[in-house]
Amino acid sequence: VRGFDNFRASSNHPLSTRKFDRTIQGRFEIKLTPRQISLRLLAEKEELNFYPQKIRAAIKYKDFPIQLGNKILFEENVLSRYEASGKLELADITIAEGVLQEQKEVHMTVLQVSEIDFPVADFALEPEGLWSRISELVGGSDIDFHTFPGFSERYYLKGIHEESVRQFFSEPVIHFLENHDDVHIECHK
């Protein structure tokens, strides 16, 4: 039986008479998960816009290596705010990795900073692993910092303009990354 949610009860009794109400018809309710409730509270506290719905927004990740070999299915739980220097957007994205029977969904949280007023060199930073070692063998070039051997062993950093990339990775940025696990950062355009 469907459609009874468009009827208004004449009393609080569960078996009371119900009458069709056109004003109820256009309403819909979004039930939030515990994570979404905590994100909504964070958004209220930090004056962020919060959009819990699932949306297809793969175009904004165009030209980022995250799309190579993957398909971005949707993003949800978007927190956003405009700052003086640009736009911050935090979102949970779901990616389909692999093909056919080997395909699996991967969930990750992404922070995207856009519309900034200052130039930043294009680069990609990812945890050292098998793929980064293979990339280095076929012509990739890892930018290492001799004063931070722990960072250089832990992360694979590549960029076209090495000096500009080195300027971006200041000592506080490197210390932050050394104290956090499996951070992946890409900067394009």
Side-chain angles (χ1 to χ4, degrees), residues 9-18:
S10 59
S11 73
N12 289 336
H13 192 276
L15 299 176
S16 71
T17 304
R18 297 179 184 273

PDB file of all heavy atoms in Angstrom, residues 9-18:
ATOM      1  N   ALA A   9      -4.165  12.822   9.042  1.00  0.00           N
ATOM      2  CA  ALA A   9      -5.027  12.170  10.028  1.00  0.00           C
ATOM      3  C   ALA A   9      -5.872  13.220  10.739  1.00  0.00           C
ATOM      4  O   ALA A   9      -5.416  14.333  10.998  1.00  0.00           O
ATOM      5  CB  ALA A   9      -4.173  11.408  11.032  1.00  0.00           C
ATOM      6  N   SER A  10      -7.103  12.842  11.083  1.00  0.00           N
ATOM      7  CA  SER A  10      -7.993  13.786  11.775  1.00  0.00           C
ATOM      8  C   SER A  10      -7.737  13.807  13.278  1.00  0.00           C
ATOM      9  O   SER A  10      -8.189  14.711  13.972  1.00  0.00           O
ATOM     10  CB  SER A  10      -9.464  13.458  11.480  1.00  0.00           C
ATOM     11  OG  SER A  10      -9.740  12.129  11.904  1.00  0.00           O
ATOM     12  N   SER A  11      -6.995  12.813  13.808  1.00  0.00           N
ATOM     13  CA  SER A  11      -6.608  12.797  15.223  1.00  0.00           C
ATOM     14  C   SER A  11      -5.290  12.035  15.360  1.00  0.00           C
ATOM     15  O   SER A  11      -4.755  11.509  14.387  1.00  0.00           O
ATOM     16  CB  SER A  11      -7.704  12.149  16.078  1.00  0.00           C
ATOM     17  OG  SER A  11      -7.724  10.761  15.874  1.00  0.00           O
ATOM     18  N   ASN A  12      -4.785  11.923  16.601  1.00  0.00           N
ATOM     19  CA  ASN A  12      -3.521  11.223  16.849  1.00  0.00           C
ATOM     20  C   ASN A  12      -3.680   9.709  16.908  1.00  0.00           C
ATOM     21  O   ASN A  12      -2.698   8.986  16.964  1.00  0.00           O
ATOM     22  CB  ASN A  12      -2.882  11.714  18.149  1.00  0.00           C
ATOM     23  CG  ASN A  12      -2.340  13.118  17.996  1.00  0.00           C
ATOM     24  OD1 ASN A  12      -2.032  13.555  16.889  1.00  0.00           O
ATOM     25  ND2 ASN A  12      -2.242  13.829  19.102  1.00  0.00           N
ATOM     26  N   HIS A  13      -4.900   9.214  16.925  1.00  0.00           N
ATOM     27  CA  HIS A  13      -5.146   7.777  17.005  1.00  0.00           C
ATOM     28  C   HIS A  13      -4.676   7.112  15.708  1.00  0.00           C
ATOM     29  O   HIS A  13      -4.925   7.620  14.614  1.00  0.00           O
ATOM     30  CB  HIS A  13      -6.636   7.507  17.234  1.00  0.00           C
ATOM     31  CG  HIS A  13      -6.904   6.090  17.602  1.00  0.00           C
ATOM     32  ND1 HIS A  13      -7.041   5.094  16.662  1.00  0.00           N
ATOM     33  CD2 HIS A  13      -7.037   5.504  18.811  1.00  0.00           C
ATOM     34  CE1 HIS A  13      -7.253   3.949  17.268  1.00  0.00           C
ATOM     35  NE2 HIS A  13      -7.269   4.168  18.586  1.00  0.00           N
ATOM     36  N   PRO A  14      -3.955   5.964  15.779  1.00  0.00           N
ATOM     37  CA  PRO A  14      -3.435   5.322  14.574  1.00  0.00           C
ATOM     38  C   PRO A  14      -4.519   4.864  13.589  1.00  0.00           C
ATOM     39  O   PRO A  14      -4.257   4.703  12.401  1.00  0.00           O
ATOM     40  CB  PRO A  14      -2.635   4.135  15.097  1.00  0.00           C
ATOM     41  CG  PRO A  14      -2.987   3.973  16.514  1.00  0.00           C
ATOM     42  CD  PRO A  14      -3.569   5.255  17.002  1.00  0.00           C
ATOM     43  N   LEU A  15      -5.749   4.645  14.046  1.00  0.00           N
ATOM     44  CA  LEU A  15      -6.826   4.197  13.167  1.00  0.00           C
ATOM     45  C   LEU A  15      -7.794   5.325  12.803  1.00  0.00           C
ATOM     46  O   LEU A  15      -8.912   5.055  12.335  1.00  0.00           O
ATOM     47  CB  LEU A  15      -7.598   3.038  13.824  1.00  0.00           C
ATOM     48  CG  LEU A  15      -6.756   1.783  14.123  1.00  0.00           C
ATOM     49  CD1 LEU A  15      -7.597   0.739  14.858  1.00  0.00           C
ATOM     50  CD2 LEU A  15      -6.196   1.204  12.840  1.00  0.00           C
ATOM     51  N   SER A  16      -7.394   6.579  13.044  1.00  0.00           N
ATOM     52  CA  SER A  16      -8.304   7.704  12.777  1.00  0.00           C
ATOM     53  C   SER A  16      -8.566   7.866  11.288  1.00  0.00           C
ATOM     54  O   SER A  16      -7.834   7.353  10.438  1.00  0.00           O
ATOM     55  CB  SER A  16      -7.723   8.999  13.340  1.00  0.00           C
ATOM     56  OG  SER A  16      -6.623   9.396  12.566  1.00  0.00           O
ATOM     57  N   THR A  17      -9.614   8.609  10.967  1.00  0.00           N
ATOM     58  CA  THR A  17      -9.967   8.915   9.589  1.00  0.00           C
ATOM     59  C   THR A  17      -8.858   9.769   8.979  1.00  0.00           C
ATOM     60  O   THR A  17      -8.286  10.623   9.630  1.00  0.00           O
ATOM     61  CB  THR A  17     -11.301   9.700   9.561  1.00  0.00           C
ATOM     62  OG1 THR A  17     -12.281   8.935  10.236  1.00  0.00           O
ATOM     63  CG2 THR A  17     -11.730  10.007   8.149  1.00  0.00           C
ATOM     64  N   ARG A  18      -8.594   9.522   7.689  1.00  0.00           N
ATOM     65  CA  ARG A  18      -7.560  10.293   6.984  1.00  0.00           C
ATOM     66  C   ARG A  18      -8.176  10.921   5.750  1.00  0.00           C
ATOM     67  O   ARG A  18      -9.013  10.330   5.087  1.00  0.00           O
ATOM     68  CB  ARG A  18      -6.393   9.397   6.598  1.00  0.00           C
ATOM     69  CG  ARG A  18      -5.695   8.824   7.810  1.00  0.00           C
ATOM     70  CD  ARG A  18      -4.550   7.916   7.438  1.00  0.00           C
ATOM     71  NE  ARG A  18      -3.972   7.326   8.607  1.00  0.00           N
ATOM     72  CZ  ARG A  18      -3.004   7.879   9.340  1.00  0.00           C
ATOM     73  NH1 ARG A  18      -2.510   9.044   9.000  1.00  0.00           N
ATOM     74  NH2 ARG A  18      -2.536   7.284  10.402  1.00  0.00           N
TER      75      ARG A  18
END
